[in-house]
Amino acid sequence: MADEHWQALEVAHRIVFGYGHLTWEWRKGIRSYFHPLVFAVLYKVLALFGLDTPWFMAHSPRLLQALFSAVGDLYFYKLSNAIFGNSVAKWALFSQLANWFMFFCFNRTLSNSLETVLTLVGLYYWPCMRASPSKAPLVLRKWGLAIAALACAIRPTSAVTWVYIGLLELAVTRDRLKFLVLEVVPIGALVLGLSCLLDRLMYGSWVIVPLNFLKFNFLSSGGDYYGTHKWHWYFSQGFTVMLFTFLPFSIAGSIKSKCWKLSGLIAWVLIVYSVQGHKEFRFVLPMLPIALMFSGYSLSVMEKADSDSRRKGSLDSHMKRPSKVGFAIFFLLATNIPMALYMSLVHQTERN
C-alpha cells in the first residue's frame, strides 16, 4: 500500500532529515501532520542515538505500529469484556488475532491502522458502549471524547464513527447540556486548535485540513480519480472479504447478541462510506474488530453448548464426537492463516 510510505514515513523523513518527496496531497493541504509526526519523533530518536541506519529506518516504524496495535488488541479485549463478559472477550480476541485482514493491515503504518487503535481505545471509555451506561464514571467520557477528537484530527473521516457514538451518548445521558457545552465543545476545540497550530507550523500558513479534506473528498469527489465502485461494494465485496470465513459467525453473533448499538454502528459507517464513489478496504478497517467481536460471541455460544452437551452426555460419547467449537477453530485457522501469509509475504512484494 503506497500510502503507508508516501503519506507517513516519507513525510516523517522529510521533517527530521530535511529531504523527501511530498505528494500533491501535502501541497493541497488535505493531510494533517499529526500522523507523520508520530514517526518523525521515532526517526529523531534514532538519529540522536546514531541508529538512523537503513535497517532501523525501514523496520522501526513497523515495530512502533505493532506496539500501537498491541494496545488496540488490549483495549479490544477490555471493550468486549465490558460489553459481553470474559467468555466472549477471549473468543473475540481470538477472532481478531486470527483474521487474515487484521494480520495483513493492522501493523502497517497507515493512518487507518492508528485510527483503528484509537477507535478501540476510545469506544472503551464511552459510557454508552457499556452494558450499564449509568454505572460508568463520567470522567471516562472525557477521555473518550479526547481520543475521538484525536482520531478525527489524524483522519477526518473518523467523524462518521464518532457522530454516531455522540448521538448515542446524547440519547442515554442525563446531563445533555453539560455533555455538549462543557465537554464536547471545549475538548473538540482544544484538539482542533492544536491540530491547526501544528499544521500552521509545518505548512507555513494557516491550513484547516478537515475543511480541505471535506471539500476534496465529499464536495468535489476528488477521490473518484483513483477509481470508483458500485454503491453496494462494501456490503457485497469489500467488508465481506475482510471478514472472510468469519462472516457467518459475525452475522450469527450479531443476531444472537441483540446488541443493536454495535450492529447499528457497523451499518451506519458502511452506509455513509458507500455514498462515496471511491472505496477501499482500509477505509472501514475500524469496523472490522467490531464485527469480529460478534464472531467471538458466536464462538462463546458454541463453547457453552458443547459444555452443556458434555455435562448431559457420557464421557464415551463425547470422545467419539469432537466439539463444534473445535471444528470452528480448525476451519477458521485453516482458511485465514494461508490467506494472511500469502497477502503479507507474497502479494505485491515486488512493490514493497
Side-chain angles (χ1 to χ4, degrees), residues 153-165:
I154 290 175
R155 193 159 181 84
T157 49
S158 187
V160 174
T161 297
W162 299 112
V163 164
Y164 177 94
I165 299 300

Side-chain angles (χ1 to χ4, degrees), residues 83-335:
I83 298 175
F84 294 120
N86 180 66
S87 177
V88 173
K90 68 178 184 180
W91 286 113
L93 184 60
F94 162 80
S95 299
Q96 170 142 312
L97 296 176
N99 176 261
W100 79 271
F101 196 83
M102 292 299 294
F103 185 93
F104 169 66
C105 195
F106 203 27
N107 292 329
R108 291 179 175 268
T109 55
L110 295 160
S111 60
N112 309 89
S113 301
L114 187 55
E115 177 196 8
T116 302
V117 173
L118 293 173
T119 299
L120 293 172
V121 176
L123 287 175
Y124 173 76
Y125 287 111
W126 282 80
C128 65
M129 302 308 296
R130 303 298 181 94
S132 302
S134 59
K135 295 181 181 179
L138 290 181
V139 68
L140 295 180
R141 190 168 65 191
K142 296 178 181 178
W143 282 105
L145 269 168
I147 295 168
L150 181 59
C152 293
I154 290 175
R155 193 159 181 84
T157 49
S158 187
V160 174
T161 297
W162 299 112
V163 164
Y164 177 94
I165 299 300
L167 291 175
L168 192 62
E169 181 67 25
L170 199 62
V172 301
T173 189
R174 297 176 182 176
D175 50 348
R176 293 183 176 89
L177 187 62
K178 176 186 175 183
F179 170 59
L180 290 173
V181 177
L182 299 181
E183 295 181 25
V184 174
V185 173
I187 292 175
L190 176 62
V191 175
L192 178 62
L194 289 175
S195 178
C196 288
L197 284 174
L198 173 64
D199 291 328
R200 169 68 177 83
L201 177 65
M202 302 307 298
Y203 277 109
S205 61
W206 287 106
V207 176
I208 304 178
V209 171
L211 181 60
N212 293 340
F213 191 92
L214 177 66
K215 287 180 179 179
F216 180 81
N217 287 287
F218 288 89
L219 301 183
S220 66
S221 299
D224 291 359
Y225 174 79
Y226 295 100
T228 59
H229 293 88
K230 296 290 186 180
W231 65 268
H232 54 76
W233 185 79
Y234 281 122
F235 293 95
S236 61
Q237 299 170 61
F239 201 61
T240 54
V241 168
M242 292 165 69
L243 280 169
F244 198 37
T245 50
F246 283 96
L247 180 61
F249 298 92
S250 295
I251 293 175
S254 175
I255 296 172
K256 291 180 179 180
S257 69
K258 296 181 180 180
C259 187
W260 306 123
K261 58 187 176 184
L262 284 180
S263 303
L265 173 60
I266 297 172
W268 161 256
V269 171
L270 294 184
I271 289 171
V272 173
Y273 274 67
S274 294
V275 174
Q276 287 296 106
H278 180 60
K279 301 174 179 67
E280 293 186 33
F281 293 103
R282 61 189 177 92
F283 289 173
V284 293
L285 179 63
M287 292 300 103
L288 184 56
I290 309 303
L292 292 171
M293 193 183 299
F294 287 128
S295 173
Y297 189 95
S298 286
L299 293 172
S300 176
V301 171
M302 294 174 68
E303 181 187 42
K304 185 177 183 302
D306 286 339
S307 179
D308 292 342
S309 177
R310 285 197 297 270
R311 281 197 295 266
K312 292 179 181 178
S314 65
L315 178 62
D316 292 338
S317 63
H318 165 64
M319 292 298 291
K320 293 178 182 178
R321 185 174 61 184
S323 66
K324 293 180 180 178
V325 73
F327 272 126
I329 293 172
F330 176 79
F331 169 70
L332 291 169
L333 292 178
T335 51

